[in-house]
Amino acid sequence: MAIRVAFFVTLALGATVAWGQSAPIVQPGAPGTATTTVAPAKAALAVPKVADADVVFMQGMIHHHSQAVEMVDLLRTRGKSKDLLALGERITISQSDEMRFMKEWLMERGKPVTMAHDHAAHMAGGGMPLMPGMLTSAQMATLAAAKGAAFDRLFLTGMIQHHTGALDMVDDLFDIPGAGQDPVMFDFATDIDNTQRAEIEIMRRMLKEIR
Amino acid sequence: MKRTLTQLGGGLALALSFSVSYGQAPTAPAKPVTPPRPPSVYSNPRSDASDPRIGLKAGLHDAGEAASGMEKIATLPKPKGFAPGDPGTTTAPPPTEQQGVGGEAPRTPPQQYGSANTDLAFSGNHLFVGNYNGINFYDIDNPGKVKLMTSVLCPGGQGDVSVYGKLLFMSAEAMNGRIDCGGQGIALPEGYKPPPPPPPAPEGTPAGTRPPRRPPPPSPDRFRGVRIFDISDLAKPKQVATVQSCRGSHTHTLVVDPNDKENVYIYISGTGPVRQPEELAACSAGDPDKNPETALFRIDIVKVPLAHPELAKIVSSPRIFSDEKTGAANGLWKGGTHGEGLQTTSQTDKCHDITVYAAIGLAAGACSGNGILLDIKDPKNPKRIDVVSDPNYAFWHSANFSNDGTKVLFTDEWGGGAQPRCRATDPMHWGADAIFTLDKGKMKLASYYKMPAAQTDTENCVAHNGSLVPIPGRDILVQSWYQGGISLLDFTDASHPMEVGYFDRGPIDATKRGMGGQWSTYWYNGYIYGAEIARGVDVFKLKPNKYLTQNEIDASNQVHFDELNVQNQPKIVWPQNAIVGRAYVDQLERSGALPAARITALMTALAGTDKKSAGQQVGLAKGLTKDAGSAKSTADGQRMRALAGILNTLGAARR
């Protein structure tokens, strides 16, 4: 008997998952105005708007992040400080995950993961332009030639420069009207700001310690 | 009836465990070449492959589930307006800004999980569930049969909610929020053409030296800040005030001043970009060295007159990061400048969330790169009294105090919540809780805790919101880990936190990343409510296991809140009765603090109701008080004293 009851209720519980419930849907107005009732048929979720600037931001940030991953690759064989190695691993995990996130975001919206040709065409060799804060090829070469404590210092100053550029990119994004209205996009961009700002602070502490 | 339901729980758990073998973990990313350094303090170990949470079947509404110490009793999917749009009703995006960046014609962006559920607030038998698109009100009179009452459409993200009497508060921070709660977002001015993307900087341009920015056109319709609703009529809440703030409100904290019956206060934590002064007067960003009025490096405090909530406004914006000696607003960075073209704009300049604990006059601020402790005896003028940082911490996110105020637990939301940070390759002390002891206003790191079951690469997972479970004699937190599920953790011993229960579902999607999982899970009057971002509202109750007895659960059910806003942490007080006493006895038995014969005697004495047992009760209390001082742990000593207090109360009542 007990088993039977249990079986029956299990079925019922499983079913609630699909049902959901309905209740009056209301929309408040500005203070001082009335709250209105919304017909269920009109309550469908608004589609988040995707602006040009959002797409360009994502494409540019993928490019930007890829350099951080390259820099950590150098750190693994050339760096000295164990704390810095650990931080480098965290940066590379963060930025690799975010690159994947950005690629998926673009692909789901039918956008290419690299910038349109006309944005990059004027650059020598047709490659993508350097995004704010990215190390120049000369800076990267100097970094790759260094080792030990000298490498650590160059890595820290370079990564601080690199991350600061990401903060600029986020600022630039939100300066563009209509950008960042998609909540996923808004959260992602503010998370980049939060994470990299905190990492910059950690790196500045490290830089002070190894001097 | 109750009994049948309890038994049913066992049946369900069995049924669920069948699904374990289905799942498969997608390939994990490359393992870090350099293993991170072990932390300087204890960090709980990852559980092994036999953990039932590993390999759960994926699915939005039919995922495999595993639970211990708690059982799910109800799930209610998100309602219309919050759930994914029905096919055909979702309108195509307007053909405005899409062209020119390459790619196909714009598609409808994916929103298969609807808008995200976020934070929870409770009042009487009502549950308020925040959402990026508004708030849903639920009747929880019968928690097993939660009933949707009203859906309120009012987008703005994140929709953090608090309730006080007939007032409901809601955070808005996004660019699309409107004063009138409209869902259409902010339209660009007539004929406005978006500027071309900025030209690439020449090679070698130092970061942070870009040209002055063009401010976007201001909008009188945009709302970023804290909304206040009158919910006297739960079927028709009215917006009575919109308190705008420079960075919007990512989260907020209700603060009740015991000495002020006429007002309540709201601490606004804003993490978003600062608005232009053209849109909201007196808002400007920048380094405090160059702009003393900067909206960075502060929190905003709203005073809400209870008789006239429409007059609510920001009354102070304390610079809680300032240097005590120099007064510099960016006082938490003491490293000075480094030269070499480095900027000085990267200090902690905001709080993500603040938990106030009025009973001890303190607040814990999880503020970007720091955890800070505030004296809030004067709620309008919080004063920073301590600050900590941690090289293992990416982003200080939220905090909970232990009930006795001797510990504070911070969370690190490494990756912001949308990234999978609980994989077997992610270190256990990253994206974890950090537990600090708190003594005379000083915080000291004691340990890290992370939900121990490795999650897949498609499950967003990191430490998130939780609340205390009022089990007397122990510090137990029920905590959300996004798609890592729920972890019940015991941090009674601040140096050795341990998991005592959990609930987890398989990934929403086994092949690609989806934003889902538990945003907030809070204990409220005998039940645990979860705001599942994608799947809806979950209701759980505690269930005895190896680490949790029925007596302890019964004791927790002796606690009742009339209202609960977790970031306005209430002081838990247990009644002095035998039910609570039995929880202490179970704990003293579990830790081996007392021999079996004494445990039996204590249980018998607690059950006694006559005059004779009163003598036994007082006698046993005397022994406990004597032995408490030599108990092998502080926690056991405290349990003995608390139990002695109960026995004395019981004994005295019958003399």
Side-chain angles (χ1 to χ4, degrees):
Chain A
M1 186 56 200
I3 290 170
R4 239 185 174 171
V5 170
F7 177 63
F8 177 76
V9 183
T10 306
L11 269 182
L13 272 181
T16 57
V17 165
W19 289 339
Q21 283 182 4
S22 60
I25 305 169
V26 298
Q27 188 157 36
T33 65
T35 297
T36 54
T37 303
V38 180
K42 300 216 162 170
L45 266 183
V47 177
K49 290 185 180 129
V50 177
D52 256 13
D54 296 343
V55 174
V56 170
F57 173 83
M58 290 300 210
Q59 291 167 338
M61 197 59 92
I62 291 171
H63 182 39
H64 186 267
H65 275 31
S66 65
Q67 190 182 61
V69 175
E70 278 173 43
M71 289 170 71
V72 176
D73 284 345
L74 292 173
L75 170 68
R76 287 182 178 137
T77 54
R78 317 193 74 76
K80 183 176 171 216
S81 155
K82 286 232 156 54
D83 285 336
L84 182 56
L85 280 168
L87 178 72
E89 292 309 334
R90 193 161 71 201
I91 289 173
T92 216
I93 293 172
S94 294
Q95 307 232 339
S96 304
D97 280 341
E98 287 174 9
M99 281 162 69
R100 178 172 156 181
F101 179 90
M102 291 186 279
K103 285 175 185 166
E104 286 181 1
W105 188 93
L106 287 163
M107 288 190 290
E108 282 170 347
R109 286 158 182 80
K111 303 292 180 191
V113 297
T114 50
M115 265 181 210
H117 194 64
D118 57 331
H119 286 177
H122 63 281
M123 294 300 296
M128 280 184 74
L130 287 186
M131 303 312 296
M134 281 179 76
L135 275 59
T136 61
S137 44
Q139 279 182 305
M140 282 298 279
T142 311
L143 184 67
K147 207 160 168 58
F151 176 94
D152 287 359
R153 268 194 297 276
L154 279 174
F155 180 91
L156 283 168
T157 51
M159 194 61 93
I160 290 169
Q161 170 193 321
H162 181 269
H163 275 25
T164 305
L167 305 188
D168 285 353
M169 287 172 71
V170 173
D171 278 353
D172 287 341
L173 171 76
F174 286 119
D175 273 352
I176 296 171
Q181 295 227 359
D182 172 0
V184 176
M185 173 77 209
F186 180 88
D187 286 356
F188 180 73
T190 44
D191 285 339
I192 286 185
D193 186 272
N194 291 335
T195 307
Q196 303 212 7
R197 204 171 281 278
E199 281 174 358
I200 290 170
E201 184 151 338
I202 291 168
M203 289 190 284
R204 291 174 65 196
R205 286 207 173 97
M206 285 185 171
L207 196 53
K208 194 185 170 204
E209 278 160 21
I210 65 170
R211 274 182 183 217
Chain B
M1 190 58 202
K2 261 216 159 101
R3 191 165 289 265
T4 312
L5 274 174
T6 314
Q7 285 169 353
L8 157 71
L12 263 182
L14 263 182
L16 293 171
S17 61
F18 284 125
S19 56
V20 165
S21 53
Y22 285 110
Q24 47 175 349
T27 43
K31 237 188 153 78
V33 176
T34 316
R37 282 188 127 181
S40 58
V41 293
Y42 176 82
S43 168
N44 68 311
R46 200 181 301 282
S47 54
D48 62 28
S50 69
D51 192 308
R53 285 169 282 189
I54 308 228
L56 290 170
K57 172 188 168 299
L60 181 58
H61 290 304
D62 58 349
E65 297 177 357
S68 173
M70 57 194 294
E71 60 175 310
K72 194 182 81 183
I73 61 165
T75 293
L76 210 55
K78 290 185 284 190
K80 196 137 192 147
F82 303 86
D86 301 327
T89 59
T90 309
T91 47
T96 48
E97 306 135 31
Q98 261 75 8
Q99 285 78 29
V101 265
E104 311 160 19
R107 293 179 193 168
T108 302
Q111 47 155 322
Q112 63 269 42
Y113 312 131
S115 61
N117 271 341
T118 60
D119 208 16
L120 304 170
F122 306 84
S123 175
N125 57 353
H126 299 120
L127 163 66
F128 303 91
V129 181
N131 183 289
Y132 274 61
N133 211 32
I135 316 174
N136 283 290
F137 301 177
Y138 294 89
D139 180 335
I140 52 169
D141 200 36
N142 180 351
K145 291 189 176 153
V146 183
K147 249 170 52 195
L148 178 67
M149 296 176 69
T150 311
S151 289
V152 183
L153 292 178
C154 191
Q158 317 185 107
D160 199 14
V161 282
S162 296
V163 60
Y164 185 82
K166 62 171 190 154
L167 299 179
L168 182 67
F169 305 91
M170 181 195 200
S171 287
E173 66 165 351
M175 296 302 176
N176 64 338
R178 295 177 56 89
I179 288 178
D180 62 8
C181 287
Q184 67 270 47
I186 301 293
L188 295 176
E190 195 87 21
Y192 179 84
K193 281 206 167 54
E203 285 225 350
T205 305
T209 54
R210 62 214 174 123
R213 303 193 264 154
R214 278 165 304 197
S219 167
D221 301 322
R222 190 175 344 257
F223 181 71
R224 297 175 67 203
V226 171
R227 303 180 188 276
I228 306 178
F229 299 100
D230 182 326
I231 54 164
S232 313
D233 179 359
L234 284 164
K236 219 156 201 188
K238 268 187 72 128
Q239 187 166 228
V240 292
T242 46
V243 183
Q244 298 262 22
S245 62
C246 292
R247 302 185 81 171
S249 171
H250 186 65
T251 67
H252 71 261
T253 304
L254 173 73
V255 186
V256 181
D257 181 354
N259 302 318
D260 184 349
K261 301 280 172 235
E262 277 154 26
N263 305 286
V264 293
Y265 297 86
I266 299 287
Y267 287 2
I268 299 181
S269 295
T271 61
V274 179
R275 299 160 85 167
Q276 304 288 346
E278 290 82 355
E279 183 165 289
L280 187 63
C283 290
S284 58
D287 207 55
D289 301 344
K290 293 170 197 112
N291 175 16
E293 302 303 315
T294 183
L296 306 176
F297 300 94
R298 72 185 201 200
I299 60 169
D300 293 319
I301 300 182
V302 180
K303 180 174 167 177
V304 185
L306 292 169
H308 289 283
E310 72 279 5
L311 301 179
K313 61 173 189 198
I314 293 175
V315 291
S316 65
S317 299
R319 296 214 176 271
I320 56 171
F321 311 118
S322 64
D323 187 281
E324 291 150 41
K325 293 198 183 79
T326 65
N330 51 352
L332 292 192
W333 168 247
K334 303 208 192 301
T337 51
H338 289 297
E340 296 183 29
L342 299 180
Q343 300 304 302
T344 54
T345 51
S346 47
Q347 302 90 344
T348 290
D349 68 13
K350 58 181 166 285
C351 288
H352 176 276
D353 207 346
I354 299 172
T355 294
V356 303
Y357 194 13
I360 56 171
L362 293 178
C367 305
S368 188
N370 293 95
I372 65 174
L373 197 63
L374 299 168
D375 179 326
I376 51 145
K377 286 186 197 79
D378 176 4
K380 289 183 293 301
N381 294 298
K383 299 258 181 301
R384 190 181 81 240
I385 54 173
D386 195 24
V387 55
V388 285
S389 65
D390 188 319
N392 289 309
Y393 252 44
F395 185 66
W396 295 72
H397 171 274
S398 55
N400 298 84
F401 288 93
S402 65
N403 193 54
D404 67 359
T406 62
K407 289 159 223 162
V408 56
L409 176 149
F410 283 100
T411 62
D412 173 13
E413 196 188 34
W414 175 36
Q419 306 298 333
R421 292 290 153 75
C422 305
R423 296 163 293 198
T425 50
D426 295 318
M428 285 297 280
H429 56 291
W430 290 359
D433 300 332
I435 299 164
F436 290 79
T437 54
L438 177 53
D439 186 28
K440 297 185 188 75
K442 284 277 163 211
M443 296 184 281
K444 187 165 177 268
L445 179 65
S447 62
Y448 297 102
Y449 173 84
K450 190 168 182 177
M451 185 281 302
Q455 302 288 304
T456 66
D457 193 36
T458 63
E459 290 170 282
N460 55 311
C461 177
V462 75
H464 213 234
N465 297 340
S467 82
L468 292 186
V469 177
I471 291 173
R474 300 172 76 178
D475 296 311
I476 291 187
L477 188 82
V478 57
Q479 188 181 9
S480 303
W481 291 80
Y482 289 105
Q483 287 205 62
I486 300 168
S487 185
L488 277 172
L489 77 113
D490 181 327
F491 64 108
T492 313
D493 177 355
S495 305
H496 291 92
M498 62 177 284
E499 185 172 63
V500 297
Y502 58 79
F503 171 81
D504 189 22
R505 287 184 173 99
I508 290 180
D509 189 322
T511 57
K512 66 183 178 71
R513 290 182 184 176
M515 179 71 180
Q518 302 288 342
W519 182 289
S520 290
T521 43
Y522 299 148
W523 183 99
Y524 182 68
N525 298 343
Y527 295 85
I528 291 163
Y529 296 86
E532 222 286 357
I533 292 169
R535 291 159 169 138
V537 173
D538 290 321
V539 188
F540 307 87
K541 60 183 204 178
L542 295 170
K543 193 180 167 189
N545 69 1
K546 194 172 146 193
Y547 307 105
L548 199 62
T549 67
Q550 188 61 50
N551 284 334
E552 290 179 303
I553 296 170
D554 292 345
S556 71
N557 290 339
Q558 297 286 299
V559 174
H560 179 89
F561 298 129
D562 294 331
E563 212 168 64
L564 179 65
N565 300 292
V566 170
Q567 287 72 36
N568 177 22
Q569 190 171 327
K571 172 99 181 163
I572 302 164
V573 181
W574 290 270
Q576 297 275 93
N577 64 23
I579 297 171
V580 174
R582 280 192 274 274
Y584 292 125
V585 179
D586 280 359
Q587 290 161 11
L588 294 168
E589 184 180 19
R590 183 187 292 122
S591 67
L594 297 175
R598 222 160 139 199
I599 295 291
T600 312
L602 283 165
M603 280 299 187
T604 311
L606 283 171
T609 52
D610 54 11
K611 231 179 164 143
K612 193 179 122 218
S613 57
Q616 280 176 345
Q617 285 160 347
V618 174
L620 282 165
K622 203 172 279 174
L624 285 170
T625 310
K626 186 167 77 69
D627 294 342
S630 54
K632 61 180 176 180
S633 74
T634 318
D636 278 339
Q638 285 167 345
R639 289 162 186 152
M640 288 182 193
R641 283 188 200 95
L643 181 55
I646 289 173
L647 288 165
N648 278 328
T649 306
L650 294 176
R654 287 178 196 114
R655 276 203 167 164

